[in-house]
Amino acid sequence: MSEIFKGSFTQQEPIPDEAIEAALTVLRTGRLHRYNTAAGEAGEVALLEQEFGAFTGAKYCLAVASGGYALGCALRAVGVGPGDPVLTNAFTLAPVPGSIASVGARPVFVGVTENLVIDLDDLQAKSAEAKVLLLSHMRGHLCDMDRLMAICDAAGITVIEDCAHTMGATWNGVPSGRHGAVGCYSTQTYKHINSGEGGFLVTDDEEIAARAVMLSGSYMLYERHLAAPGPEVFERVKYVTPNVSGRMDHLRAAILRPQLRALNSQADAWNARYSVVEDGLRGTPGLTLVERDPRGRFVGSSFQFLLLDWAAERVADVVARCAARGVELKWFGGAEPKGFTSRYDSWRYAESAPMPASDRILAGILDMRLPLTFSVDDCALIARIVRSEVSAVFQSA
Ligand SMILES: *Cc1c(COP(=O)(O)O)cnc(C)c1O
């Protein structure tokens, strides 16, 4: 009898009791809008911004309605406009090129390596093509950030980091999101802290911060922020920055504050699960693990491996056989985008040149979430199932 896994790959942990209590307190006041505060009250959103700013070591922090909103807001705040080219990853999720399209700009895709990070040689080759890079740390894989910043600094490229999968991660001890001009994060249910929808943007640049606050829909209430620049900076931007409403509210902020305090221990719990899957899959014939650079501290909230140079129908066979045993693998190489999988050539609103080296890698990427509702033993079982099905299909060749 072969083993079957019964857990749900989309079931996150419940919201902690402390966060539920904080939410009830906000609900009882009726003051959910971030600028609806009583005399002397800072409000949950302003406090959360202060705390997330401190967590990342950023001077300024803005909480917003979603991670995708944070990306679009950052692009606008650094001055990207209609028709502008923006470098970005060929391997990422749809809201990343979508945010570029949302400001009327044009994605210029940069390839992916076998380590699932942006191809820095390709970035170097394309560095004269755009003035902004929207860098996605897709699935938490961190590239050599020192080299990336050297390339971008030399070319005069402003870097915006999409840290939807790297909240809590670091590169050489520096929090992810703090190498570029702006770091953007998501607090959507499938990310590292959960408010259903939500996001952050952090920066040390006072002008970008003030523009972002105005863009997010502050009206002239920006002085209520605790992690924004002083009023003199707003004087320079307030008449020329449109209100593209996308604020966070007190209810979401209230449930995020306790979760932020627990993030580092949650990251340890994710990494314990990640390493059990990794150990269980190591040495599987035909399967390539994605090695992590030891300079990065990642948060292992999902797991990827490669079936490099496998025929499509054999990869599909592995996916079907694992699914029959309860293990949901998402394949980025399928002919059609499914669920959240899509790739640069799926985004037909954006032109792209063929990228054969990246296509080879994308064709072999398999992905699964590791929610914290899985135990370490669950993860060992998942690895045994994947290992046996990959081996079976590989050996039938
Ligand atoms: C989730 C996600 C986003 C967008 O975040 P939302 O909060 O869902 O808008 C951006 N980039 C990546 C890589 C993501 O996974």
Side-chain angles (χ1 to χ4, degrees), residues 64-71 91-97 99 136-140 162-165 184-191 196-200 340:
V64 293
S66 75
Y69 182 87
L71 298 175
F91 173 50
T92 184
L93 292 186
V96 178
S99 70
S136 182
H137 301 296
M138 178 61 175
R139 288 298 186 244
D162 166 27
C163 305
H165 304 161
C184 300
Y185 307 79
S186 168
T187 63
Q188 188 240 71
T189 296
Y190 300 109
K191 312 299 163 82
E197 304 287 353
F200 294 109
F340 58 77

Short mmCIF file of all heavy atoms in Angstrom, two decimals, residues 64-71 91-97 99 136-140 162-165 184-191 196-200 340, ligand 1:
data_model
loop_
_atom_site.label_atom_id
_atom_site.label_comp_id
_atom_site.label_asym_id
_atom_site.label_seq_id
_atom_site.Cartn_x
_atom_site.Cartn_y
_atom_site.Cartn_z
N VAL A 64 -0.09 49.46 2.93
CA VAL A 64 -1.03 49.68 1.82
C VAL A 64 -1.98 48.48 1.67
O VAL A 64 -1.91 47.51 2.42
CB VAL A 64 -0.28 49.95 0.49
CG1 VAL A 64 0.46 51.29 0.55
CG2 VAL A 64 0.68 48.82 0.16
N ALA A 65 -2.81 48.59 0.66
CA ALA A 65 -3.92 47.63 0.50
C ALA A 65 -3.50 46.25 0.00
O ALA A 65 -4.18 45.27 0.23
CB ALA A 65 -4.97 48.22 -0.44
N SER A 66 -2.37 46.17 -0.70
CA SER A 66 -1.90 44.86 -1.19
C SER A 66 -0.44 44.96 -1.60
O SER A 66 0.11 46.06 -1.75
CB SER A 66 -2.73 44.39 -2.40
OG SER A 66 -2.37 45.11 -3.55
N GLY A 67 0.16 43.79 -1.80
CA GLY A 67 1.55 43.77 -2.28
C GLY A 67 1.63 44.33 -3.69
O GLY A 67 2.55 45.07 -4.03
N GLY A 68 0.67 43.96 -4.51
CA GLY A 68 0.65 44.48 -5.88
C GLY A 68 0.50 46.00 -5.89
O GLY A 68 1.13 46.70 -6.69
N TYR A 69 -0.31 46.52 -4.97
CA TYR A 69 -0.45 47.98 -4.87
C TYR A 69 0.90 48.61 -4.50
O TYR A 69 1.29 49.64 -5.06
CB TYR A 69 -1.52 48.38 -3.84
CG TYR A 69 -1.67 49.88 -3.81
CD1 TYR A 69 -2.54 50.53 -4.67
CD2 TYR A 69 -0.86 50.66 -2.98
CE1 TYR A 69 -2.63 51.91 -4.70
CE2 TYR A 69 -0.92 52.04 -3.01
CZ TYR A 69 -1.81 52.66 -3.87
OH TYR A 69 -1.86 54.03 -3.92
N ALA A 70 1.61 47.97 -3.56
CA ALA A 70 2.92 48.50 -3.14
C ALA A 70 3.86 48.60 -4.34
O ALA A 70 4.60 49.58 -4.49
CB ALA A 70 3.53 47.62 -2.05
N LEU A 71 3.83 47.59 -5.21
CA LEU A 71 4.72 47.60 -6.39
C LEU A 71 4.37 48.75 -7.32
O LEU A 71 5.25 49.50 -7.77
CB LEU A 71 4.62 46.27 -7.15
CG LEU A 71 5.04 44.99 -6.41
CD1 LEU A 71 4.76 43.76 -7.27
CD2 LEU A 71 6.51 45.05 -6.01
N PHE A 91 10.87 34.88 -14.51
CA PHE A 91 10.24 33.92 -13.59
C PHE A 91 9.76 34.67 -12.37
O PHE A 91 10.54 35.04 -11.49
CB PHE A 91 11.24 32.84 -13.18
CG PHE A 91 10.74 31.90 -12.11
CD1 PHE A 91 9.50 31.27 -12.22
CD2 PHE A 91 11.51 31.61 -11.00
CE1 PHE A 91 9.04 30.40 -11.23
CE2 PHE A 91 11.07 30.73 -10.01
CZ PHE A 91 9.83 30.14 -10.13
N THR A 92 8.46 34.95 -12.33
CA THR A 92 7.85 35.57 -11.16
C THR A 92 6.36 35.32 -11.27
O THR A 92 5.91 34.53 -12.09
CB THR A 92 8.21 37.06 -11.04
OG1 THR A 92 7.65 37.56 -9.81
CG2 THR A 92 7.68 37.89 -12.21
N LEU A 93 5.58 35.99 -10.41
CA LEU A 93 4.12 35.82 -10.50
C LEU A 93 3.51 37.03 -11.21
O LEU A 93 4.11 38.11 -11.27
CB LEU A 93 3.52 35.61 -9.11
CG LEU A 93 3.91 34.29 -8.42
CD1 LEU A 93 3.14 34.11 -7.11
CD2 LEU A 93 3.68 33.07 -9.31
N ALA A 94 2.31 36.82 -11.70
CA ALA A 94 1.65 37.79 -12.57
C ALA A 94 1.50 39.22 -12.02
O ALA A 94 1.50 40.17 -12.80
CB ALA A 94 0.28 37.24 -12.99
N PRO A 95 1.36 39.43 -10.68
CA PRO A 95 1.22 40.82 -10.22
C PRO A 95 2.47 41.67 -10.46
O PRO A 95 2.39 42.90 -10.38
CB PRO A 95 0.94 40.70 -8.72
CG PRO A 95 1.00 39.27 -8.36
CD PRO A 95 1.14 38.45 -9.60
N VAL A 96 3.60 41.03 -10.73
CA VAL A 96 4.84 41.81 -10.90
C VAL A 96 4.84 42.52 -12.27
O VAL A 96 4.85 43.75 -12.33
CB VAL A 96 6.08 40.94 -10.66
CG1 VAL A 96 7.35 41.73 -10.88
CG2 VAL A 96 6.04 40.36 -9.24
N PRO A 97 4.75 41.78 -13.40
CA PRO A 97 4.60 42.49 -14.67
C PRO A 97 3.29 43.28 -14.68
O PRO A 97 3.22 44.35 -15.31
CB PRO A 97 4.58 41.37 -15.71
CG PRO A 97 4.16 40.13 -14.96
CD PRO A 97 4.79 40.30 -13.59
N SER A 99 2.01 45.04 -12.30
CA SER A 99 2.19 46.37 -11.69
C SER A 99 2.88 47.32 -12.67
O SER A 99 2.61 48.52 -12.68
CB SER A 99 2.98 46.25 -10.38
OG SER A 99 4.34 45.91 -10.64
N SER A 136 12.19 40.70 -8.50
CA SER A 136 11.33 39.81 -7.72
C SER A 136 12.19 38.71 -7.09
O SER A 136 12.83 37.94 -7.80
CB SER A 136 10.27 39.20 -8.64
OG SER A 136 9.41 38.38 -7.89
N HIS A 137 12.15 38.63 -5.76
CA HIS A 137 12.86 37.54 -5.08
C HIS A 137 11.93 36.34 -5.09
O HIS A 137 11.45 35.88 -4.05
CB HIS A 137 13.22 37.93 -3.65
CG HIS A 137 14.08 39.15 -3.56
ND1 HIS A 137 15.35 39.20 -4.06
CD2 HIS A 137 13.84 40.38 -3.03
CE1 HIS A 137 15.87 40.40 -3.83
NE2 HIS A 137 14.98 41.14 -3.22
N MET A 138 11.67 35.85 -6.29
CA MET A 138 10.64 34.84 -6.51
C MET A 138 10.92 33.59 -5.67
O MET A 138 12.03 33.07 -5.68
CB MET A 138 10.60 34.53 -7.99
CG MET A 138 9.63 33.47 -8.41
SD MET A 138 7.90 33.88 -8.03
CE MET A 138 7.13 32.47 -8.83
N ARG A 139 9.89 33.17 -4.94
CA ARG A 139 9.95 31.98 -4.09
C ARG A 139 11.09 32.03 -3.08
O ARG A 139 11.61 31.00 -2.63
CB ARG A 139 10.05 30.70 -4.95
CG ARG A 139 8.75 30.38 -5.67
CD ARG A 139 7.65 30.11 -4.66
NE ARG A 139 6.40 29.67 -5.23
CZ ARG A 139 5.24 30.33 -5.18
NH1 ARG A 139 5.19 31.55 -4.66
NH2 ARG A 139 4.15 29.81 -5.66
N GLY A 140 11.50 33.25 -2.76
CA GLY A 140 12.48 33.44 -1.70
C GLY A 140 13.91 33.15 -2.08
O GLY A 140 14.79 33.13 -1.22
N ASP A 162 10.74 43.34 -4.96
CA ASP A 162 9.49 42.65 -4.65
C ASP A 162 9.82 41.55 -3.64
O ASP A 162 10.37 40.51 -4.01
CB ASP A 162 8.88 42.06 -5.93
CG ASP A 162 7.79 41.05 -5.63
OD1 ASP A 162 7.15 41.16 -4.57
OD2 ASP A 162 7.58 40.15 -6.46
N CYS A 163 9.48 41.79 -2.38
CA CYS A 163 9.83 40.87 -1.29
C CYS A 163 8.62 40.09 -0.81
O CYS A 163 8.54 39.72 0.37
CB CYS A 163 10.44 41.66 -0.13
SG CYS A 163 11.84 42.65 -0.63
N ALA A 164 7.68 39.82 -1.73
CA ALA A 164 6.48 39.07 -1.34
C ALA A 164 6.86 37.72 -0.71
O ALA A 164 6.14 37.22 0.14
CB ALA A 164 5.58 38.86 -2.55
N HIS A 165 8.00 37.14 -1.14
CA HIS A 165 8.41 35.84 -0.61
C HIS A 165 9.65 35.93 0.27
O HIS A 165 10.24 34.91 0.61
CB HIS A 165 8.69 34.86 -1.76
CG HIS A 165 7.53 34.70 -2.70
ND1 HIS A 165 7.64 34.21 -3.97
CD2 HIS A 165 6.21 35.00 -2.54
CE1 HIS A 165 6.45 34.20 -4.56
NE2 HIS A 165 5.58 34.68 -3.72
N CYS A 184 9.20 46.21 -1.29
CA CYS A 184 7.74 46.03 -1.26
C CYS A 184 7.42 44.63 -0.72
O CYS A 184 8.11 43.66 -1.06
CB CYS A 184 7.15 46.15 -2.67
SG CYS A 184 7.47 47.76 -3.41
N TYR A 185 6.37 44.53 0.07
CA TYR A 185 6.02 43.28 0.75
C TYR A 185 4.51 43.07 0.64
O TYR A 185 3.76 44.03 0.45
CB TYR A 185 6.39 43.35 2.24
CG TYR A 185 7.83 43.74 2.50
CD1 TYR A 185 8.23 45.08 2.41
CD2 TYR A 185 8.79 42.78 2.80
CE1 TYR A 185 9.55 45.44 2.62
CE2 TYR A 185 10.12 43.14 3.03
CZ TYR A 185 10.49 44.48 2.93
OH TYR A 185 11.80 44.85 3.15
N SER A 186 4.11 41.82 0.82
CA SER A 186 2.69 41.49 0.80
C SER A 186 2.31 40.83 2.12
O SER A 186 3.09 40.06 2.69
CB SER A 186 2.41 40.53 -0.36
OG SER A 186 1.11 39.98 -0.25
N THR A 187 1.11 41.12 2.60
CA THR A 187 0.59 40.45 3.80
C THR A 187 -0.66 39.66 3.46
O THR A 187 -1.54 39.45 4.30
CB THR A 187 0.30 41.46 4.94
OG1 THR A 187 -0.74 42.35 4.52
CG2 THR A 187 1.53 42.27 5.28
N GLN A 188 -0.74 39.26 2.21
CA GLN A 188 -1.83 38.45 1.72
C GLN A 188 -1.74 37.05 2.36
O GLN A 188 -0.66 36.65 2.81
CB GLN A 188 -1.64 38.44 0.19
CG GLN A 188 -2.68 37.83 -0.62
CD GLN A 188 -2.07 36.70 -1.39
OE1 GLN A 188 -1.74 35.68 -0.79
NE2 GLN A 188 -1.86 36.89 -2.68
N THR A 189 -2.83 36.35 2.40
CA THR A 189 -2.93 35.08 3.16
C THR A 189 -1.81 34.08 2.88
O THR A 189 -1.37 33.38 3.78
CB THR A 189 -4.30 34.44 2.89
OG1 THR A 189 -5.29 35.31 3.43
CG2 THR A 189 -4.43 33.08 3.57
N TYR A 190 -1.32 34.00 1.66
CA TYR A 190 -0.31 32.98 1.34
C TYR A 190 1.12 33.43 1.58
O TYR A 190 2.05 32.73 1.23
CB TYR A 190 -0.48 32.51 -0.11
CG TYR A 190 -1.85 31.92 -0.34
CD1 TYR A 190 -2.79 32.58 -1.09
CD2 TYR A 190 -2.19 30.70 0.25
CE1 TYR A 190 -4.06 32.04 -1.27
CE2 TYR A 190 -3.45 30.16 0.08
CZ TYR A 190 -4.38 30.83 -0.68
OH TYR A 190 -5.62 30.30 -0.84
N LYS A 191 1.31 34.60 2.18
CA LYS A 191 2.67 35.09 2.41
C LYS A 191 3.05 34.86 3.88
O LYS A 191 2.49 33.98 4.50
CB LYS A 191 2.74 36.57 2.00
CG LYS A 191 2.11 36.83 0.60
CD LYS A 191 2.81 36.07 -0.53
CE LYS A 191 1.96 36.01 -1.80
NZ LYS A 191 2.01 37.16 -2.65
N GLY A 196 -5.22 38.68 5.06
CA GLY A 196 -6.13 38.51 3.92
C GLY A 196 -5.55 39.21 2.71
O GLY A 196 -5.10 38.57 1.76
N GLU A 197 -5.57 40.53 2.74
CA GLU A 197 -4.89 41.37 1.75
C GLU A 197 -4.08 42.41 2.51
O GLU A 197 -4.41 42.74 3.64
CB GLU A 197 -5.90 42.10 0.84
CG GLU A 197 -6.90 41.21 0.12
CD GLU A 197 -6.29 40.41 -1.03
OE1 GLU A 197 -5.10 40.63 -1.37
OE2 GLU A 197 -7.00 39.55 -1.57
N GLY A 198 -3.05 42.95 1.87
CA GLY A 198 -2.28 44.02 2.51
C GLY A 198 -0.85 44.02 2.01
O GLY A 198 -0.41 43.07 1.34
N GLY A 199 -0.14 45.09 2.30
CA GLY A 199 1.25 45.18 1.87
C GLY A 199 1.97 46.34 2.52
O GLY A 199 1.36 47.14 3.25
N PHE A 200 3.27 46.39 2.27
CA PHE A 200 4.13 47.47 2.79
C PHE A 200 5.07 47.93 1.70
O PHE A 200 5.42 47.16 0.80
CB PHE A 200 5.06 46.97 3.91
CG PHE A 200 4.41 46.55 5.17
CD1 PHE A 200 4.38 45.21 5.51
CD2 PHE A 200 3.86 47.48 6.03
CE1 PHE A 200 3.81 44.79 6.70
CE2 PHE A 200 3.30 47.07 7.23
CZ PHE A 200 3.26 45.73 7.56
N PHE A 340 -1.83 29.76 -10.07
CA PHE A 340 -0.94 30.92 -10.02
C PHE A 340 0.28 30.77 -10.93
O PHE A 340 1.13 31.65 -10.98
CB PHE A 340 -0.51 31.23 -8.58
CG PHE A 340 0.17 30.08 -7.90
CD1 PHE A 340 1.50 29.77 -8.18
CD2 PHE A 340 -0.49 29.31 -6.96
CE1 PHE A 340 2.14 28.72 -7.56
CE2 PHE A 340 0.14 28.24 -6.34
CZ PHE A 340 1.45 27.94 -6.64
C1 LIG B 1 1.70 37.70 -3.89
C2 LIG B 1 2.72 38.31 -4.73
C3 LIG B 1 2.67 39.66 -5.09
C4 LIG B 1 1.49 40.53 -4.87
O1 LIG B 1 0.99 40.54 -3.61
P1 LIG B 1 -0.59 40.76 -3.37
O2 LIG B 1 -0.60 41.17 -1.93
O3 LIG B 1 -1.28 39.46 -3.65
O4 LIG B 1 -1.04 41.85 -4.27
C5 LIG B 1 3.74 40.17 -5.78
N1 LIG B 1 4.80 39.42 -6.12
C6 LIG B 1 4.85 38.11 -5.83
C7 LIG B 1 6.06 37.34 -6.24
C8 LIG B 1 3.82 37.52 -5.14
O5 LIG B 1 3.86 36.21 -4.86
#
